[in-house]
Amino acid sequence: MPIAELTAAERTAMMAGLPEWQLARDDKAIERTFEFADFSAAWGFVARIALLAEKADHHPEWFNVYNRVEITLTTHDAGGLSQRDADMATAIDRLL
Ligand code: H2B
């Protein structure tokens, strides 16, 4: 299903609301790195995001090593960033 890529102005507004996230991949994605006390805490975080992702039908790219989780959000169906990424990033931040 096609979904609109955010305009440059919309992207700027989105980033203002997500100060912990950074633009990546030529402004086609956003990323954030999280650190936890140990692997158990990191994996619990990943598991909670997985439930959110299934519900939203919007799935992160992520990398985990021990207590660190790196998350990248982009919308393949939009060829870049969409409102879904803003919503997912906001939902992820709320888990903390
Ligand atoms: N996740 C992400 N990150 N981007 C998408 O474009 C996307 C997705 N599209 N999850 C969804 C699933 C789509 O492929 C299915 C068919 O709904």
Side-chain angles (χ1 to χ4, degrees), residues 7-68:
T7 64
E10 289 168 337
R11 231 174 17 235
T12 302
M14 173 182 90
M15 295 315 291
L18 296 170
E20 307 290 340
W21 294 77
Q22 307 211 314
L23 286 166
R25 297 188 196 164
D26 242 352
D27 296 352
K28 299 285 189 196
I30 52 174
E31 59 189 20
R32 180 173 176 186
T33 297
F34 301 84
E35 285 200 2
F36 297 90
D38 53 22
F39 175 77
S40 179
W43 193 252
F45 180 65
V46 165
R48 288 195 288 157
I49 294 171
L51 297 176
L52 289 181
E54 272 297 273
K55 211 159 144 190
D57 192 26
H58 195 62
H59 302 90
E61 299 173 26
W62 44 26
F63 175 80
N64 161 244
V65 59
Y66 186 52
N67 67 334
R68 195 170 83 239

Side-chain angles (χ1 to χ4, degrees), residues 1 3 57-60 74-78 84-85:
M1 183 186 56
I3 171 164
D57 192 26
H58 195 62
H59 302 90
T74 186
T75 302
H76 311 119
D77 298 343
R84 290 185 191 180
D85 300 303

